[in-house]
Amino acid sequence: MTSEKPEFKEVLRHTIWASDLTPEQLARVEADTVEQFVPKGGYVCRKGEMVDAWIGVIDGLVKMNNLSPEGKSVTFTGVPKGGWFGEGTLLKQETRKYDVVALRDTRIARMPAKTFMWLLDNSLPFTRFLLMQLNERLGQFIGMVEFDRLLDVDTRVARCLAALFNSHLYPGTDPLLQISQEEIGYLSGASRQRANQALQVLEKEGLLKVDYGGIQILDLDGLRRFRM
């Protein structure tokens, strides 16, 4: 771990759900949760695996996706730094229904299922957080049905970028979004070239600025309302 990267325990203490834990609860989380490095293109977890942990993105970017029987890749969502996922599968105690792949070198936190369930039983604030998390996730996936079936590529890219700024699911996302055009293509179901064209359209509308190594978001509400 380089000196520029925050210490793992410090990152855990500053997650959106940790602020209301008791010292005892936080100490157990810190003792039980482990860090994992996943290189670009590597699997964070795979479809069909029995879920044994709640997973957070400490640094990097991952996508949830599946392959259709015909081999077509279907991306459900991206999870940037600060996002946590897998609570629904843990609560249902079933196998994972999707693959999770790192779109760049990524640091992952894994909280064991036993610790996750202990928090659920012993922390009312954590339970409230999970209710909000599940509600936000449901709204996100309902929106993605429309996203996939009704929207053109320019609008899909706009919604894809706006979705990364959900303050509950992905707290602390910086307006200078460190994301490549290739990654935007993966998340919006478009080629890199088509995603680039969409970004040019959105830039002309004054909604963002394409900078070297990232996207500067200028009008988040405008991205959310684009062509509504």
Side-chain angles (χ1 to χ4, degrees), residues 43-56 62-68 73-79 84-92 94-101 110 133-134 137 140-141 170:
Y43 284 89
V44 177
C45 45
R46 304 197 69 154
K47 180 179 179 179
E49 292 177 341
M50 199 66 196
V51 178
D52 61 357
W54 192 40
I55 300 174
V62 305
K63 68 170 181 174
M64 299 178 182
N65 77 308
N66 262 338
L67 287 176
S68 71
S73 179
V74 179
T75 297
F76 300 125
T77 189
V79 183
W84 289 74
F85 63 90
E87 59 279 346
T89 312
L90 270 176
L91 291 170
K92 290 184 285 185
E94 62 182 18
T95 58
R96 197 174 299 280
K97 304 298 184 184
Y98 48 82
D99 293 322
V100 181
V101 179
R110 291 183 177 272
Q133 177 97 339
L134 291 166
R137 189 78 72 195
Q140 182 185 56
F141 282 111
Y170 316 125

Side-chain angles (χ1 to χ4, degrees), residues 173-193:
T173 303
D174 195 284
L176 178 56
L177 196 59
Q178 300 294 328
I179 190 170
S180 70
Q181 293 175 22
E182 181 182 31
E183 291 166 342
I184 293 170
Y186 281 133
L187 297 180
S188 60
S191 68
R192 182 187 181 281
Q193 292 78 10

Side-chain angles (χ1 to χ4, degrees), residues 148-169:
D148 186 59
R149 297 182 182 180
L150 301 179
L151 305 183
D152 59 54
V153 175
D154 295 343
T155 312
R156 292 212 313 264
V157 170
R159 297 288 197 282
C160 167
L161 292 172
L164 296 176
F165 287 86
N166 183 301
S167 61
H168 186 90
L169 294 175

Side-chain angles (χ1 to χ4, degrees), residues 5-219:
K5 294 179 180 178
E7 292 294 334
F8 184 55
K9 287 186 178 181
E10 188 68 19
V11 172
L12 288 178
R13 293 183 193 124
H14 286 87
T15 56
I16 188 173
W17 47 265
S19 60
D20 292 322
L21 298 183
T22 66
E24 174 198 23
Q25 291 164 348
L26 185 57
R28 175 161 176 175
V29 166
E30 292 175 353
D32 294 352
T33 305
V34 297
E35 181 178 353
Q36 176 191 12
F37 172 78
V38 182
K40 179 180 177 180
Y43 284 89
V44 177
C45 45
R46 304 197 69 154
K47 180 179 179 179
E49 292 177 341
M50 199 66 196
V51 178
D52 61 357
W54 192 40
I55 300 174
V57 179
I58 299 302
D59 190 32
L61 178 67
V62 305
K63 68 170 181 174
M64 299 178 182
N65 77 308
N66 262 338
L67 287 176
S68 71
E70 296 77 26
K72 180 183 178 183
S73 179
V74 179
T75 297
F76 300 125
T77 189
V79 183
K81 174 182 175 180
W84 289 74
F85 63 90
E87 59 279 346
T89 312
L90 270 176
L91 291 170
K92 290 184 285 185
Q93 298 184 350
E94 62 182 18
T95 58
R96 197 174 299 280
K97 304 298 184 184
Y98 48 82
D99 293 322
V100 181
V101 179
L103 292 179
R104 66 178 76 146
D105 289 351
T106 298
R107 295 168 64 202
I108 294 295
R110 291 183 177 272
M111 180 191 294
K114 186 175 181 180
T115 307
F116 174 88
M117 298 306 294
W118 179 81
L119 276 180
L120 189 60
D121 289 339
N122 290 278
S123 173
L124 183 58
F126 186 73
T127 301
R128 289 196 183 108
F129 167 83
L130 284 181
L131 284 172
M132 287 296 299
Q133 177 97 339
L134 291 166
N135 186 56
E136 292 290 334
R137 189 78 72 195
L138 176 61
Q140 182 185 56
F141 282 111
I142 288 174
M144 289 198 67
V145 174
E146 175 192 30
F147 175 107
D148 186 59
R149 297 182 182 180
L150 301 179
L151 305 183
D152 59 54
V153 175
D154 295 343
T155 312
R156 292 212 313 264
V157 170
R159 297 288 197 282
C160 167
L161 292 172
L164 296 176
F165 287 86
N166 183 301
S167 61
H168 186 90
L169 294 175
Y170 316 125
T173 303
D174 195 284
L176 178 56
L177 196 59
Q178 300 294 328
I179 190 170
S180 70
Q181 293 175 22
E182 181 182 31
E183 291 166 342
I184 293 170
Y186 281 133
L187 297 180
S188 60
S191 68
R192 182 187 181 281
Q193 292 78 10
R194 186 62 185 86
N196 178 53
Q197 292 172 10
L199 290 172
Q200 292 178 35
V201 170
L202 298 173
E203 188 169 31
K204 288 177 181 176
E205 293 287 332
L207 304 177
L208 54 81
K209 179 176 175 55
V210 179
D211 290 327
Y212 179 75
I215 309 294
Q216 181 75 42
I217 304 301
L218 303 177
D219 185 353

